[in-house]
Amino acid sequence: MKVADKKVVRLDYTLRNAAGEVIDTSEGAEPLTYLHGASQIVPGLERELAGMAAGEAKDVVVQPEDGYGLP
């Protein structure tokens, strides 16, 4: 099954800043669960996850304008 609109997605993640420091992670906890295409996660991440298959891994860089905005 591929990630697509109206699909429930569960993913393990580690969020790092530009210096490589861990800001947040699902390690040791439940995976993040969201409805793809429902704007429940930042647009840049949602766009990068589209089309991925179950079990596939990917490193993603989300620019501020595609995330939470510029500081």
Side-chain angles (χ1 to χ4, degrees), residues 1-2 10 13-16 18 23 27 34 40-41 49 53-54 57 62-64 66 70:
M1 183 173 291
K2 302 264 186 188
R10 291 172 47 97
Y13 69 92
T14 299
L15 175 64
R16 299 177 189 274
I23 296 172
E27 188 174 328
Y34 75 98
Q40 294 179 340
I41 62 173
L49 296 175
V62 176
Q63 297 302 317
D66 291 327
L70 297 168

Side-chain angles (χ1 to χ4, degrees), residues 4-46:
D5 286 354
K6 299 183 183 175
K7 300 284 184 186
V8 174
V9 178
R10 291 172 47 97
L11 66 107
D12 288 307
Y13 69 92
T14 299
L15 175 64
R16 299 177 189 274
N17 64 15
E21 300 167 319
V22 174
I23 296 172
D24 192 16
T25 184
S26 65
E27 188 174 328
E30 289 293 316
L32 171 68
T33 302
Y34 75 98
L35 180 63
H36 195 81
S39 300
Q40 294 179 340
I41 62 173
V42 296
L45 179 57
E46 192 166 56

